[in-house]
């Protein structure tokens, strides 16, 4: 799926702004004709979660309706072009109507979808209506509201998520109307390889026009290389390629044109990075050299806008990652915005790209549905992010309740699916099951979450560090695969101090992270340390979540450093 862009062959317009909105707890919107337009609506910002925009409805997750009106901008021509409406993400179900005509429905909260709206458009006075539903259910992904008999005991929380972040709902990323030629380029897939100092860029195009040629041009870093094909694939060779890596995020511009009889019908440009990523023995190799990941599990979360796209917050987060000497993050626990992926490409930050499959369970009830949704989300994620050099691995799930006979086959299937869609990147699963995680038999690398000295060995950092050391050694003895420690951390109230360190104090977070990192660095097979979490973030309410917050951030929710941020900055400057 190509992100909309504007050039002499393509136009796009962002419909973000203030829309109309109504809650519909009785589900009577459709029967009341809201598909044609809303009455008695209130204003709402798009993109943003609805939960924190009003004085009511914070915990409301049910049906809600959005509406906006627009005229076709000059240059959009439904008689000559194909016009599409693209939603960056809507949590969780979106059903859309344009001028009363139903466009379709999409399930899944963090990935884009689009509709061909050419036949529905008027030149002026278009009415777009979207029904959104964010309820938690056992047969959704991620699942929620799980009956206790279906899974392991869950701590009580409200709303009843099976995951530890607030179930924000709404239109979370931009809604873009875009026009492309009828003979458009549908898709581009780029993979890169190295032969000594030569970069090899392989390009596969999908295009509606079967005759004519696809032409590719690569520019940047002194290169100006082109090739064309009457088929679907071509290769560009780049002598002395400027490779993409953290610290040197070299990007080239790849421009694809669709040409017939010397006339160009479509054109698309995307930034690409030439790099390789491989797992060999104990090591994770970027461009053939071992790479050690330093960084965080994160969230898309901010005051008032909730999980909605917040460009200034994104820029700030990347600035903080650079300040603290991080080189990577994981998109825990769902795909992040395209804007974040673009920033990571541009600033040289490595990404473990995770699907929305957090807190899965494997009892039969709803299993077939959860499985199909996981497959759909894996396909959608790889389709969206496959061309980003920043993405170095796909994570198919976080902390599934996987000590269950149904789990290994479930994940084998997702692993094979990811590999069939992208043979170039490692595939992993993020687990808190350690030696019991059977799917680690076939995953390319191991990702482990552990809270020694926090949820276990409470208050005893040294004891926890000893347990960590033993478990890491046992996992290596069992699998002989590289391991990334993807979560470790301590809730920390900013401004709370204790000597000797005590849980919830800034000193405790500093000591625990420092001690765990010492252990990690004593193990040659550990290839990364991702602290949980970069920033404090909103959760459901529960007795373990004071103020409805997870305070394991190294920065506060408003991005101020705790003591641990300064310590990590020192620990991360030295480690390459
Ligand atoms: C975990 C989860 C993460 C939680 C974290 C915690 O293992 O993967 O979503 O927020 O623990 O703080 O408990």
């Amino acid at each position: 799926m190509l992100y909309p862009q504007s050039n002499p062959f393509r136009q796009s317009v962002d419909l973000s702004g203030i829309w109309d909105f109504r809650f519909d707890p009785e589900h009577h919107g459709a029967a009341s004709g809201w598909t044609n337009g809303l009455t008695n609506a209130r204003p709402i910002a798009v993109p943003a979660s609805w939960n924190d925009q009003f004085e009511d409805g914070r915990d409301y997750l049910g049906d809600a309706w959005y509406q906006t009106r627009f005229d076709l901008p000059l240059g959009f021509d439904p008689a000559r072009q194909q016009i599409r409406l693209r939603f960056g993400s809507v949590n969780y179900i979106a059903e859309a109507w344009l001028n009363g005509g139903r466009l379709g429905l999409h399930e899944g909260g963090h990935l884009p979808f689009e509709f061909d709206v050419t036949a529905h458009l008027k030149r002026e006075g278009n009415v777009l209506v979207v029904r959104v539903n964010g309820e938690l259910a056992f047969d959704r992904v991620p699942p929620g509201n799980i009956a206790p008999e279906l899974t392991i005991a869950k701590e009580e929380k409200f709303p009843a998520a099976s995951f530890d972040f607030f179930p924000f709902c709404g239109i979370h990323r931009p809604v873009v109307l875009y026009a492309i030629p009828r003979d458009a380029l549908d898709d581009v897939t780029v993979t890169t390889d190295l032969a000594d100092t030569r970069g090899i860029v392989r390009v596969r195009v999908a295009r509606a026009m079967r005759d004519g040629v696809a032409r590719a041009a690569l520019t940047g870093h002194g290169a100006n290389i082109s090739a064309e094909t009457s088929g679907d694939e071509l290769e560009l060779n780049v002598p002395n390629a400027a490779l993409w890596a953290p610290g040197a995020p070299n990007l080239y511009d790849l421009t694809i044109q669709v040409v017939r009889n010397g006339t160009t019908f479509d054109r698309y440009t995307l930034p690409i990075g030439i790099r390789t990523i491989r797992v060999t023995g104990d090591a994770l190799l970027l461009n053939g050299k071992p790479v050690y990941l330093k960084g965080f599990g994160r969230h898309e979360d901010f005051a008032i806008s909730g999980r909605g796209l917040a460009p200034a917050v994104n820029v700030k987060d990347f600035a903080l990652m650079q300040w603290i000497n991080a080189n990577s993050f994981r998109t825990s626990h769902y795909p992040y915005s395209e804007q974040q992926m673009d920033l990571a490409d541009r600033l040289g930050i490595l990404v473990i790209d995770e699907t929305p499959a957090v807190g899965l369970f494997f009892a039969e009830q709803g299993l077939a549905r959860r499985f199909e949704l996981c497959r759909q989300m894996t396909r959608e994620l790889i389709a969206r992010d496959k061309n980003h050099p920043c993405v170095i691995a796909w994570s198919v799930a976080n902390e599934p309740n996987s000590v269950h006979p149904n789990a290994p086959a479930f994940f084998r299937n997702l692993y094979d699916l990811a590999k069939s869609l992208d043979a170039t990147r490692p595939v992993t699963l993020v687990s808190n099951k350690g030696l019991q995680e059977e799917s680690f038999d076939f995953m390319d690398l191991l990702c482990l979450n552990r809270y020694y000295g926090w949820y276990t060995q409470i208050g005893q950092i040294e004891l926890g560090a000893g347990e960590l050391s033993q478990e890491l050694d046992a996992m290596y003895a069992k699998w002989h695969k590289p391991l990334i420690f993807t979560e470790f951390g301590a809730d920390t109230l900013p401004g709370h101090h204790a000597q000797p360190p005590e849980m919830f104090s800034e000193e405790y977070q500093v000591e625990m992270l420092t001690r765990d990192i010492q252990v990690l660095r004593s193990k040659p097979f550990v290839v990364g340390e991702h602290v949980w979490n970069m920033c404090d973030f909103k959760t459901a309410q529960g007795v373990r979540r004071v103020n409805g917050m997870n305070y394991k951030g190294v920065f506060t929710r408003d991005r101020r450093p705790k003591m641990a941020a300064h310590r990590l900055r020192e620990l991360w400057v030295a480690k390459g």
Side-chain angles (χ1 to χ4, degrees):
M1 183 189 258
L2 297 174
Y3 196 87
Q5 66 180 213
S6 295
N7 65 29
F9 303 90
R10 300 178 159 239
Q11 293 84 39
S12 74
V13 56
D14 187 342
L15 300 180
S16 301
I18 303 294
W19 290 31
D20 296 324
F21 182 78
R22 271 190 84 165
F23 289 123
D24 182 14
E26 313 295 334
H27 300 271
H28 61 40
S32 307
W34 294 4
T35 56
N36 295 307
L38 300 183
T39 50
N40 299 324
R42 59 171 108 181
I44 189 167
V46 170
S49 303
W50 71 56
N51 309 79
D52 284 339
Q53 292 194 52
F54 309 115
E55 298 314 302
D56 56 340
R58 188 198 54 207
D59 299 317
Y60 177 79
L61 312 177
D63 269 8
W65 293 71
Y66 285 78
Q67 168 184 281
T68 190
R69 293 168 185 275
F70 63 90
D71 298 338
L72 273 191
L74 183 68
F76 277 61
D77 184 356
R80 222 170 33 83
Q81 296 168 311
Q82 207 185 116
I83 303 183
R84 296 182 184 169
L85 190 64
R86 182 191 198 271
F87 294 80
S89 79
V90 178
N91 196 36
Y92 167 84
I93 280 177
E95 187 175 13
W97 293 261
L98 186 57
N99 301 324
R102 186 173 180 275
L103 300 175
L105 179 146
H106 180 266
E107 178 165 0
H110 310 276
L111 286 158
F113 54 94
E114 58 183 24
F115 304 109
D116 183 341
V117 295
T118 320
H120 295 269
L121 285 165
K122 302 191 285 190
R123 182 132 293 283
E124 291 181 55
N126 292 287
V127 180
L128 172 64
V129 173
V130 188
R131 178 182 69 88
V132 181
N133 179 293
E135 275 156 23
L136 299 166
F138 69 93
D139 60 351
R140 292 184 171 184
V141 174
N145 264 335
I146 300 164
E149 67 273 15
L150 292 183
T151 186
I152 57 163
K154 289 276 168 214
E155 81 180 283
E156 300 260 331
K157 49 180 95 140
F158 179 72
S162 70
F163 44 84
D164 185 32
F165 50 92
F166 192 84
F168 284 116
C169 320
I171 300 181
H172 282 159
R173 295 182 194 144
V175 182
V176 176
L177 185 75
Y178 74 103
I180 54 175
R182 290 202 178 251
D183 283 325
L185 188 64
D186 280 335
D187 198 13
V188 178
T189 307
V190 180
T191 58
T192 63
D193 210 342
L194 300 176
D196 291 325
T197 58
R198 187 162 54 88
I200 304 164
V201 178
R202 298 195 178 95
V203 182
R204 201 167 71 236
V205 295
R207 57 195 173 107
M209 190 165 86
R210 292 319 307 159
D211 52 351
V213 295
R215 200 172 276 167
L218 190 79
T219 57
H221 306 283
N224 195 346
I225 301 162
S226 54
E228 68 175 41
T229 177
S230 55
D232 302 326
E233 290 183 353
L234 53 83
E235 192 175 294
L236 299 155
N237 282 278
V238 190
N240 298 316
L243 303 187
W244 186 96
N250 296 306
L251 294 173
Y252 291 84
D253 272 337
L254 175 70
T255 299
I256 311 288
Q257 296 191 63
V258 179
V259 182
R260 184 167 52 201
N261 300 330
T263 305
T264 300
F265 285 80
D266 193 12
R267 193 174 86 197
Y268 193 88
T269 300
L270 82 161
I272 65 145
I274 300 174
R275 59 114 188 86
T276 59
I277 184 77
R278 282 194 187 110
V279 170
T280 310
D282 293 356
L284 180 64
L285 302 177
L286 181 74
N287 300 329
K289 287 185 253 151
V291 62
Y292 189 85
L293 306 187
K294 306 168 291 183
F296 301 101
R298 299 175 52 215
H299 267 297
E300 291 191 317
D301 170 272
F302 201 63
I304 302 171
S305 51
R307 189 141 294 121
L309 181 79
V313 178
N314 287 344
V315 170
K316 176 75 173 177
D317 280 358
F318 277 82
L320 290 176
M321 283 189 272
Q322 292 187 309
W323 172 82
I324 204 170
N325 298 309
N327 65 3
S328 54
F329 67 88
R330 172 169 62 112
T331 68
S332 45
H333 296 309
Y334 40 80
Y336 292 179
S337 62
E338 293 91 344
Q339 183 175 79
Q340 294 224 38
M341 307 310 285
D342 290 343
L343 286 166
D345 283 347
R346 184 164 165 192
L347 299 173
I349 300 284
L350 305 166
V351 178
I352 300 175
D353 209 357
E354 187 159 288
T355 73
V358 50
L360 287 177
F361 68 103
F362 297 90
E364 292 297 333
Q365 290 94 325
L367 183 65
R369 210 164 173 280
R370 291 192 298 278
F371 177 62
E372 270 321 311
L373 283 165
C374 284
R375 284 180 56 84
Q376 174 200 319
M377 290 168 179
T378 303
R379 277 193 295 266
E380 289 178 356
L381 175 64
I382 295 177
R384 192 194 76 163
D385 287 352
K386 62 189 173 184
N387 293 329
H388 285 283
C390 65
V391 177
I392 54 158
W394 306 111
S395 158
V396 295
N398 179 75
E399 294 196 3
N401 296 296
S402 49
V403 182
H404 190 286
N406 288 336
F410 189 105
F411 287 118
R412 178 77 223 196
N413 186 292
L414 292 182
Y415 175 91
D416 289 342
L417 175 64
K419 284 289 185 190
S420 74
L421 296 169
D422 176 16
T424 70
R425 292 179 177 90
V427 175
T428 188
L429 166 76
V430 179
S431 172
N432 64 351
K433 297 289 175 274
L435 289 169
Q436 289 179 286
E437 188 53 78
E438 287 184 45
S439 299
F440 279 164
D441 289 354
F442 49 84
M443 292 292 163
D444 296 318
L445 52 87
L446 315 183
C447 288
L448 178 70
N449 295 349
R450 280 292 184 226
Y451 289 87
Y452 291 121
W454 189 257
Y455 295 126
T456 60
Q457 294 77 43
I458 292 167
Q460 300 160 91
I461 291 171
E462 200 46 46
L463 199 65
E467 291 289 326
L468 173 63
S469 175
Q470 278 179 26
E471 183 175 32
L472 292 173
D473 288 343
M475 287 178 69
Y476 183 65
K478 179 163 181 187
W479 286 295
H480 289 281
K481 293 183 182 182
L483 183 147
I484 301 169
F485 199 38
T486 30
E487 286 186 25
F488 59 118
D491 285 86
T492 305
L493 299 172
H496 285 248
H497 294 280
Q499 174 54 36
E502 217 170 46
M503 291 174 83
F504 294 98
S505 69
E506 297 207 24
E507 285 80 359
Y508 195 87
Q509 186 182 36
V510 168
E511 285 312 306
M512 186 176 141
L513 297 179
T514 307
R515 189 64 189 96
D516 279 2
I517 284 173
Q518 265 172 7
V519 172
L520 299 174
R521 295 197 184 168
S522 70
K523 317 279 179 197
F525 56 88
V526 171
V527 297
E529 52 200 44
H530 277 179
V531 171
W532 190 257
N533 188 287
M534 178 165 165
C535 303
D536 295 342
F537 60 91
K538 195 90 197 123
T539 66
Q541 297 174 71
V543 290
R544 293 216 287 192
R545 292 291 174 260
V546 180
N547 301 325
M549 290 287 294
N550 184 312
Y551 282 111
K552 293 191 187 70
V554 162
F555 298 93
T556 60
R557 201 182 191 204
D558 64 352
R559 274 55 181 171
R560 294 166 194 271
K562 301 180 190 173
M563 270 170 60
H566 297 279
R567 172 60 62 85
L568 288 175
R569 187 167 187 250
E570 287 162 18
L571 290 172
W572 285 347
V573 72
K575 181 81 185 166

